[in-house]
Amino acid sequence: MNHPLTILGIESSCDETAASVIHGGKIVSSVVTSQLMHQKYGGVVPELAARAHETNIMPVVTAALEEAAIQKSALDGIGFTQGPGLLGPLLVGGCFAKSLAFSLGIPLIGVHHIQAHVLANFIDDPKPTFPFLCLTVSGGHTQIILVKDYFSMEVLGATQDDAAGEAFDKIAHLMGFGYPGGALIDRYAQEGNPQAFDFPAAHMPDFDFSFSGIKTAFSLFIQNKTPEYIRTNRADICASIQAILVRMLLDKLVKAAQKSGISTIALAGGVAVNSYLRQQLKQLAQKHRWTTFIPAITYCTDNAAMVAITAYYKYQLKAFARFTSPSLPRYPII
Ligand code: KG4
Ligand code: ZN
């Protein structure tokens, strides 16, 4: 292949329909449509999400091609999120990607959603060098991953129950915030004192996490509080619960860095947007002399640029998916 590769990436694993074009290793477009109708249910309704993806996918892909100023005939391959995620939403993106690739006669590339979150660290410069540790924190996953190469990743530790983003969202829900509430906790915490309230951290072996206990502790704490009390103390409550959640994440990251001797550290996933997490990571980086990497905010939450760059690296390995579902490759690495 001696011309710069042009790949379309499609993401549809949850409630974001997204498409992105990568050309010669650079992201030239990234379009994301979020589904707001889930807010009134306090969480994503899979069937509604699948239907919304069906409505959104064509305009989103068209917009991504237009933003990149390329015709679909110029594409060399199509990457799509193969999993993990909600089955209906994944099927919509997968069928669309498959049909388009088949009709254009170009390769189809299956992408692992969490691997894509990790590889979002390669979208902008400077890029991390291997090996590095990646704390991958989203609404569905919390893992410390040892990244040895683009497609050689080992999970060193993971949550044994809720994901960190899920804990943020459930706690926000208990405070009466909308869905997803993680970003609201972050926003209200800006004015608060992180030491105002004491919440118990879970102690798990090795590099594993648990967030279900703190969620229960928080529900017991909040159940007797009046709306007036919550309103008056909102900033301090948010700052305190956020501080303990972040401490639980970073304590394990420090432990993994010390045990592995690795000092190149990255973040990935929607919770990596959290300003307190970013700020605390910066302090730890100074203390432990780490080199740190965090994707731009738009590449932390679900997006298709991370799918496009993963597909771009996979294309070079000729790791293509077949068009018949039973033989689509599986990715047990994460
Ligand atoms: O990676 P992502 O967009 O979707 C999944 O793959 O799950 O992550 C979404 C999660 C949600 O739980 C959301 O509340 C959380 O990321 N999140 C945040 C912030 N922004 C998004 N959590 C804490 N602070 C934020 N600023
Ligand atoms: Zn995600």
Side-chain angles (χ1 to χ4, degrees):
M1 182 66 56
N2 45 20
H3 71 277
L5 283 178
T6 306
I7 311 253
L8 171 71
I10 295 175
E11 156 63 31
S12 73
S13 65
C14 192
D15 58 342
E16 265 90 28
T17 318
S20 166
V21 176
I22 188 166
H23 174 71
K26 292 256 167 275
I27 296 295
V28 289
S29 72
S30 180
V31 177
V32 181
T33 308
S34 299
Q35 305 172 2
L36 302 175
M37 88 285 247
H38 304 290
Q39 281 175 354
K40 70 173 175 218
Y41 302 101
V44 178
V45 183
E47 181 55 34
L48 294 181
R51 283 187 230 165
H53 283 302
E54 279 179 348
T55 311
N56 295 342
I57 195 146
M58 194 72 165
V60 166
V61 167
T62 306
L65 292 172
E66 275 173 17
E67 196 177 299
I70 66 142
Q71 303 285 323
K72 57 183 184 301
S73 55
L75 292 172
D76 294 299
I78 299 183
F80 72 103
T81 300
Q82 195 172 10
L86 300 171
L87 185 60
L90 286 170
L91 280 171
V92 176
C95 289
F96 186 92
K98 238 190 257 186
S99 313
L100 188 56
F102 188 75
S103 69
L104 294 170
I106 56 175
L108 177 70
I109 303 136
V111 167
H112 189 291
H113 183 77
I114 301 304
Q115 200 165 55
H117 270 302
V118 174
L119 296 181
N121 279 288
F122 290 87
I123 293 176
D124 291 322
D125 289 325
K127 303 183 197 312
T129 49
F130 300 112
F132 64 93
L133 295 179
C134 187
L135 173 66
T136 309
V137 270
S138 72
H141 290 79
T142 301
Q143 297 175 329
I144 294 179
I145 300 173
L146 168 59
V147 187
K148 299 172 201 164
D149 204 343
Y150 296 111
F151 299 107
S152 174
M153 302 186 189
E154 186 186 333
V155 178
L156 300 183
T159 183
Q160 299 302 304
D161 41 57
D162 293 352
E166 207 176 338
F168 266 101
D169 294 340
K170 285 179 176 167
I171 285 166
H173 181 70
L174 289 167
M175 293 200 57
F177 304 162
Y179 177 87
L184 289 171
I185 292 189
D186 188 357
R187 192 193 312 157
Y188 296 135
Q190 307 281 332
E191 312 288 314
N193 170 10
Q195 268 124 35
F197 296 95
D198 202 17
F199 295 107
H203 295 284
M204 296 292 286
D206 303 322
F207 311 120
D208 286 340
F209 304 92
S210 165
F211 293 100
S212 64
I214 191 154
K215 193 184 66 191
T216 308
F218 191 84
S219 70
L220 293 174
F221 162 82
I222 209 85
Q223 70 184 359
N224 304 322
K225 306 288 187 289
T226 62
E228 178 56 27
Y229 180 90
I230 296 174
R231 216 173 15 255
T232 318
N233 294 280
R234 188 172 68 184
D236 284 348
I237 298 173
C238 286
S240 302
I241 193 72
Q242 173 177 266
I244 186 72
L245 289 170
V246 166
R247 202 181 86 208
M248 283 162 73
L249 291 169
L250 292 179
D251 280 356
K252 291 296 173 119
L253 191 55
V254 170
K255 206 171 157 187
Q258 282 170 344
K259 180 98 189 273
S260 64
I262 292 173
S263 59
T264 304
I265 309 286
L267 296 184
V271 181
V273 172
N274 186 269
S275 58
Y276 188 75
L277 175 60
R278 288 173 173 240
Q279 177 207 319
Q280 293 295 303
L281 182 77
K282 215 170 172 182
Q283 286 187 13
L284 285 175
Q286 275 168 0
K287 182 171 166 198
H288 298 284
R289 295 172 184 273
W290 290 346
T291 310
T292 57
F293 296 86
I294 313 178
I297 284 176
T298 45
Y299 301 142
C300 285
T301 46
D302 283 350
N303 67 89
M306 66 185 195
V307 177
I309 196 162
T310 306
Y312 173 80
Y313 290 131
K314 269 192 143 166
Y315 189 106
Q316 291 165 60
L317 300 174
K318 302 235 177 309
F320 302 141
R322 299 226 189 118
F323 286 93
T324 45
S325 300
S327 22
L328 283 174
R330 292 182 183 279
Y331 300 94
I333 45 119
I334 286 182

